Amino acid sequence: SRFINLEMNLASNTINDWSSFCREVVFDAFFSQPRKIGGPDKVVEIDESKFRKRKYHRGHHVEGQWVFGGYERGSGQVFMVAVEERGRDTLLPIIKEWIEPGTTIISDFWKAYDCLNDHGYQHLKVNHSLHFKDPDTGAHTNAIESSWRAAKASWSSSGRIKRHIPGNLARYMFMKRCKELQLDRTKEFLRLAGLMYNPC
């Protein structure tokens, strides 16, 4: 019995180690050199969402993490970045890092986005307090909002613990990219692992 328990513990540790390795590979692939989305004639929806562990007990404090992200229409490519606050000084550098100049960006009326027209982007806004889709421009952020739901649904409750969120965001981005580009996930993961550990 003791041997079986030891063997099971070793197996559990191995699984945890492998999971950590997988998150490390995809995190490095997506965040060390971000792949920009958008560009002229492209539309990217941006938004922020709060990720938090499910609340099981009333009155129990639930730790949360703000995440900022974007969705490129047409390609379905996404980026999602954990942030500590949602001011312009935080979000604008992320937008420049992940979204090509000349992109049409659609957002809600959050004040941090008011400067986008001054930084090489075409900015459309939708006032969610009035409607989901702007009646004049047709602007909406339905796709990025759907991506939030999909990302959250793909994680267990423990996956929403704050320290696990960056790695799980990278995993979601990896899975989404493979799906949209019809890549073999195993081959793509091994390619990324090779790039990360290439001694050259």
Side-chain angles (χ1 to χ4, degrees), residues 72-144:
E72 182 185 271
R73 293 183 184 176
S75 73
Q77 294 301 291
V78 299
F79 71 86
M80 295 181 176
V81 181
V83 295
E84 292 305 316
E85 57 94 26
R86 300 177 297 146
R88 183 180 66 177
D89 291 344
T90 295
L91 299 186
L92 182 59
I94 297 174
I95 290 169
K96 290 182 174 181
E97 185 176 31
W98 287 89
I99 304 178
E100 294 282 4
T103 302
T104 296
I105 295 179
I106 301 177
S107 74
D108 59 19
F109 268 66
W110 180 237
K111 60 185 178 181
Y113 304 137
D114 288 345
C115 63
L116 292 181
N117 284 323
D118 299 326
H119 291 272
Y121 302 102
Q122 299 180 38
H123 187 205
L124 299 177
K125 298 189 284 187
V126 55
N127 190 337
H128 286 152
S129 65
L130 298 178
H131 32 240
F132 291 106
K133 183 177 182 178
D134 188 279
D136 297 322
T137 65
H140 65 80
T141 55
N142 295 345
I144 184 61

Side-chain angles (χ1 to χ4, degrees), residues 32-70:
S32 63
Q33 295 182 329
R35 297 178 176 88
K36 287 189 174 183
I37 60 176
D41 301 321
K42 299 287 187 179
V43 176
V44 173
E45 301 174 19
I46 60 173
D47 192 29
E48 330 90 52
S49 183
K50 193 73 170 286
F51 281 60
R52 60 186 62 169
K53 189 176 179 182
R54 291 185 180 92
K55 186 175 182 180
Y56 293 108
H57 304 290
R58 183 173 297 178
H60 177 67
H61 175 73
V62 180
E63 187 180 27
Q65 171 70 64
W66 279 107
V67 177
F68 172 68

Side-chain angles (χ1 to χ4, degrees), residues 177-191:
R177 181 171 183 270
C178 289
K179 178 182 178 182
E180 298 298 339
L181 298 182
Q182 298 183 334
L183 301 174
D184 182 282
R185 287 181 293 181
T186 301
K187 290 180 179 178
E188 180 64 6
F189 174 80
L190 293 175
R191 184 184 74 82

Side-chain angles (χ1 to χ4, degrees), residues 12-41:
S12 176
N13 289 337
T14 300
I15 291 171
N16 289 335
D17 288 345
W18 175 249
S19 296
S20 296
F21 169 72
C22 291
R23 285 194 296 268
E24 181 183 358
V25 168
V26 295
F27 183 89
D28 179 79
F30 282 88
F31 289 105
S32 63
Q33 295 182 329
R35 297 178 176 88
K36 287 189 174 183
I37 60 176
D41 301 321

